[in-house]
Amino acid sequence: MHLDSASIDAMPSRERAALINSLSGFKSANLIGTADAESHCNLAIMSSVVHLGSHPPLLMLVVRPGGEERHTLHNLLRSGHYSINHVAAGMVDAAHQTAARYPRDVSEFEATGLTPSWWDGFTAPLVAEAHVQLAMQLREHQELAINGTHLVIGEVVQANIPDGCLKEDGSLDLNAAGTVALTGLDSYHRADLMKRMAYAKPDLPPRTLS
Amino acid sequence: MHLDSASIDAMPSRERAALINSLSGFKSANLIGTADAESHCNLAIMSSVVHLGSHPPLLMLVVRPGGEERHTLHNLLRSGHYSINHVAAGMVDAAHQTAARYPRDVSEFEATGLTPSWWDGFTAPLVAEAHVQLAMQLREHQELAINGTHLVIGEVVQANIPDGCLKEDGSLDLNAAGTVALTGLDSYHRADLMKRMAYAKPDLPPRTLS
């Protein structure tokens, strides 16, 4: 099946959104926790966290204009703090429900039954039920002229990782941590490790590890 | 296990890279195809393609400074064209091998046994073995001052999608398409669908679809 700009443009809006949201491949599933000046909490599921660099440890988040995500953006720009919490298999229903358009004075924590967790010196709530919790300090923000989305760049300043999930090389075993993957707008997946590949070198064929 | 900025900073460089590359969650696995002015091809695996918007259909790619990726960046900035090709399960070895630091005059297609495919009016090669192939037109490029990474924003101008992989709502079934997910720097996964969630509404509890 072949699509071009004209056929994509001609699609009904919802179908186009479902398709284009699928084209990048598998996505991360994270809950973003923030608080306003009165410590009213907001929690929003996002699939757009990506790695930007490891020294300093930077992650980037794409936030759409308008919608539920504007509370998240407002809060994190005010305080400079936000949390990134991996969605684990047992949290999928509650995590997805945070996408509902609750009124501003309703906390998605209360509405979905998730529990805010507070860390010393950090003004955004983390999600107690999450196995991987990251405290983020805002480093850079920009609005893209091309479509009004916001790029939020932050540094990992604290991290909670479940014991026994770190591999020898330093990497985190996301399957062991229970983390799920997202596709499109609504599909949640558990992932099975196929293989780990050794560092690629021009003079050696591809090799699997362990 | 709790980490803070000091303990992250104190980690050996390779372990820190492995850890921080794991913290965003599951990642997309894509091969980026480009060509230079003489149609010499370059192919590079990247895990940083993210959805930016669906109307127009925009995807963003994070390209690290230096390294193998600089050929990709050089080529796509010159021509404005690049391809995004989903890594399918049968292509993992070849796809990972494109990360080796081949000399500039060696095409990763030839070195790894993948086949370039050319589309009318499009100057970048696609990967014939990939089930999902996207032709991208560069729309915006910037280098981030914070760590020298490059953001490449492009529009999907043509797409090849396997028949039978589109769901009723317009989304693409990535499992049916054979697409794999990446974690960290080297781990490839097949994903099993756990559940699809219905559109979240404040006055309804979470509901699964089909």
Side-chain angles (χ1 to χ4, degrees):
Chain A
M1 181 180 180
H2 197 86
L3 298 167
D4 62 13
S5 294
S7 54
I8 292 171
D9 190 57
M11 291 177 78
S13 167
R14 284 200 174 192
E15 287 178 29
R16 183 175 50 234
L19 175 65
I20 306 301
N21 269 281
S22 309
L23 291 185
S24 58
F26 284 92
K27 303 192 279 192
S28 55
N30 288 293
L31 284 166
I32 311 300
T34 55
D36 69 13
E38 288 79 38
S39 293
H40 295 139
C41 294
N42 192 274
L43 191 64
I45 188 162
M46 297 198 192
S47 60
S48 62
V49 175
V50 288
H51 177 260
L52 202 62
S54 46
H55 197 211
L58 298 177
L59 302 178
M60 181 164 60
L61 174 67
V62 179
V63 183
R64 296 187 313 160
E68 175 59 26
E69 296 89 343
R70 71 191 185 284
H71 299 158
T72 297
L73 190 65
H74 180 90
N75 288 342
L76 73 84
L77 292 179
R78 184 197 62 81
S79 71
H81 289 173
Y82 57 108
S83 70
I84 296 179
N85 308 270
H86 286 205
V87 175
M91 299 161 52
V92 166
D93 286 12
H96 187 78
Q97 185 66 16
T98 65
R101 290 175 178 261
Y102 292 105
R104 172 115 202 202
D105 60 346
V106 172
S107 162
E108 288 82 5
F109 281 101
E110 286 174 35
T112 65
L114 294 169
T115 313
S117 168
W118 299 95
W119 290 357
D120 279 353
F122 191 68
T123 64
L126 296 103
V127 178
E129 287 81 1
H131 305 158
V132 179
Q133 307 160 322
L134 310 176
M136 305 294 299
Q137 171 68 51
L138 177 67
R139 289 292 175 227
E140 194 175 315
H141 161 251
Q142 57 173 285
E143 182 177 351
L144 290 172
I146 197 166
N147 71 349
T149 50
H150 295 257
L151 303 184
V152 172
I153 297 171
E155 180 174 342
V156 182
V157 290
Q158 291 186 71
N160 241 349
I161 294 167
D163 290 328
C165 292
L166 278 187
K167 292 187 278 194
E168 273 187 17
D169 68 340
S171 64
L172 176 61
D173 184 337
L174 294 183
N175 291 329
T179 301
V180 302
L182 245 172
T183 63
L185 295 163
D186 55 18
S187 297
Y188 294 82
H189 306 258
R190 288 302 303 266
D192 294 315
L193 180 65
M194 288 174 57
K195 51 178 141 186
R196 287 187 66 197
M197 299 297 296
Y199 190 81
K201 296 186 174 182
D203 53 346
L204 288 176
R207 293 142 294 134
T208 56
L209 284 176
S210 66
Chain B
M1 180 179 180
H2 197 85
L3 298 167
D4 61 14
S5 293
S7 55
I8 293 171
D9 190 58
M11 292 178 77
S13 167
R14 284 200 174 193
E15 287 177 31
R16 183 176 49 235
L19 174 65
I20 306 301
N21 269 282
S22 309
L23 291 184
S24 58
F26 284 92
K27 302 192 279 192
S28 55
N30 288 293
L31 284 166
I32 311 301
T34 55
D36 69 13
E38 288 79 39
S39 293
H40 295 139
C41 294
N42 191 275
L43 191 64
I45 188 161
M46 298 199 190
S47 60
S48 62
V49 175
V50 286
H51 177 260
L52 202 62
S54 46
H55 199 210
L58 298 176
L59 302 178
M60 181 165 61
L61 175 67
V62 179
V63 183
R64 297 186 313 160
E68 175 59 26
E69 297 90 342
R70 72 191 185 283
H71 299 158
T72 297
L73 189 65
H74 180 89
N75 287 344
L76 73 85
L77 292 178
R78 184 196 62 80
S79 70
H81 288 173
Y82 57 108
S83 70
I84 296 179
N85 308 270
H86 286 205
V87 175
M91 298 161 52
V92 166
D93 286 12
H96 188 77
Q97 185 65 15
T98 64
R101 290 174 178 262
Y102 292 104
R104 172 115 201 201
D105 60 346
V106 172
S107 162
E108 288 82 7
F109 281 100
E110 286 174 36
T112 65
L114 294 169
T115 313
S117 168
W118 299 95
W119 289 357
D120 280 353
F122 190 69
T123 63
L126 296 103
V127 178
E129 287 81 0
H131 306 159
V132 178
Q133 307 161 322
L134 309 177
M136 304 295 299
Q137 171 68 51
L138 176 67
R139 289 291 175 227
E140 194 175 314
H141 160 251
Q142 57 173 286
E143 181 177 349
L144 289 173
I146 197 165
N147 70 349
T149 50
H150 295 258
L151 302 184
V152 173
I153 297 172
E155 180 174 342
V156 181
V157 290
Q158 292 185 72
N160 241 349
I161 294 167
D163 289 328
C165 291
L166 278 187
K167 292 188 278 194
E168 273 186 17
D169 68 341
S171 64
L172 177 61
D173 184 337
L174 294 183
N175 291 330
T179 302
V180 301
L182 246 172
T183 62
L185 295 163
D186 55 19
S187 297
Y188 294 82
H189 307 258
R190 288 302 304 265
D192 293 314
L193 180 64
M194 288 173 55
K195 50 179 142 186
R196 286 187 67 197
M197 299 296 297
Y199 190 81
K201 296 187 174 181
D203 53 344
L204 287 176
R207 293 142 294 135
T208 57
L209 284 176
S210 65

